[in-house]
Amino acid sequence: MELMRPAPEPRPLGRAGHAAPVVVGASPDADAAVGWALRHARRADLPVHLVRAYDAGELRPNRAACALGVPAAGVRDVLARAVLTRARRIAREVGWTADVDPSVEVAPGDAVQVLVHAARGASMLVVGHGEGGLGSLWGLGSVGLGALWHATTSVTVVRPAPDDGPVVVGVDGSFDATEALRHALTDGAARDVRTVVVAAGIAARPGWLQAHLDTVLREVTEAGTTPGSVVVVADDDRPERVLLDAASRYRAAVLIVGHRGRGRTASLALGSVGHELVVGASVPVTVVRPVPA
């Protein structure tokens, strides 16, 4: 059945009533994250805010600022210009057509703290999978790990992957998983792709799952978005295994879960399954936090 193209989704608003930006860590090794954030923001009609943290190490011999003879006071300007130049190149590659450049923030300090602070009130924080190096035993860059634990908004950890596949989302009946489902249906509509809804830890599709899906579909439609087709998958295997398999089998563009699901099926808690997904998935993973009232 042919569905109408989705109507514009009401944009999430920041504290001042402006559209809440997509904040992205713009370190030199985060091109994939910047590109993903630009594409996501274009689909959602949101501004992009590039954030570059730096420390005293930027002034060491052989670093760019020192080599160019830039005094410490001028590091921010040099880094800001470098970030914007790089972002403009990536924007051309991904078809970013906004009338204005993304905004740029350069700040000294720990990268996680700088990004988390910048993302307060944002619609999403986007980081690269390997940013910060191997900063944890989870096999995830230290910046990605810190963002997942400390950010107060939704976080996407990006791996390079095709952007035209379906959206895969894990549900378990909890409030946080419901927010993830709502986000997935809206994102799928904006991408014009199907949404694969995955319930792990159950052998067959129960009645509550269909009723829950129908409710969220109605809410999303009433909000002005027409979701595309939906596929429901139920499997009694471990959640992380089921979700990773679904993302691979359907060639997903993104895998979405709630921040801390504790519903009727096996838990999708960030501390266990969420980390395994971010570490093990070959596609970007979005961990959705509910929007504060």
Side-chain angles (χ1 to χ4, degrees), residues 37-221:
L38 289 169
R39 288 191 295 267
H40 174 77
R42 180 187 62 197
R43 286 189 292 263
D45 192 24
L46 294 172
V48 173
H49 185 57
L50 304 164
V51 179
R52 171 72 156 91
Y54 74 96
D55 56 28
E58 303 290 348
L59 302 179
R60 290 184 305 207
N62 300 323
R63 289 298 182 94
C66 181
L68 294 173
V70 178
V75 170
R76 290 194 191 191
D77 290 338
V78 170
L79 291 177
R81 287 196 294 271
V83 166
L84 187 55
T85 298
R86 199 177 192 95
R88 285 171 173 166
R89 174 181 60 77
I90 297 171
R92 290 193 297 270
E93 294 173 356
V94 302
W96 169 268
T97 57
D99 294 332
V100 296
D101 285 323
S103 58
V104 178
E105 176 182 347
V106 176
D110 173 76
V112 173
Q113 294 180 358
V114 170
L115 286 170
V116 169
H117 182 268
R120 291 176 182 173
S123 63
M124 181 180 291
L125 172 60
V126 180
V127 296
H129 182 271
E131 283 192 64
L134 296 178
S136 74
L137 297 178
W138 293 88
L140 174 64
S142 56
V143 175
L145 179 67
L148 285 171
W149 278 111
H150 299 296
T152 57
T153 189
S154 299
V155 175
T156 296
V157 180
V158 175
R159 286 181 185 268
D163 200 50
D164 57 354
V167 174
V168 173
V169 57
V171 299
D172 64 2
S174 67
F175 174 74
D176 288 342
T178 299
E179 291 297 303
L181 176 58
R182 186 176 291 109
H183 178 97
L185 291 169
T186 302
D187 192 27
R191 293 170 180 267
D192 195 21
V193 298
R194 62 180 170 174
T195 302
V196 180
V197 179
V198 179
I202 53 178
R205 182 163 56 177
W208 70 260
L209 177 57
Q210 188 60 52
H212 179 63
L213 177 58
D214 290 343
T215 298
V216 179
L217 280 167
R218 183 173 61 254
E219 292 172 353
V220 170
T221 302

Side-chain angles (χ1 to χ4, degrees), residues 129 157 159 243-244 247 255 275-285:
H129 182 271
V157 180
R159 286 181 185 268
L243 287 164
L244 290 174
L255 175 57
H275 271 121
E276 293 196 40
L277 295 178
V278 172
V279 171
S282 59
V283 301
V285 176

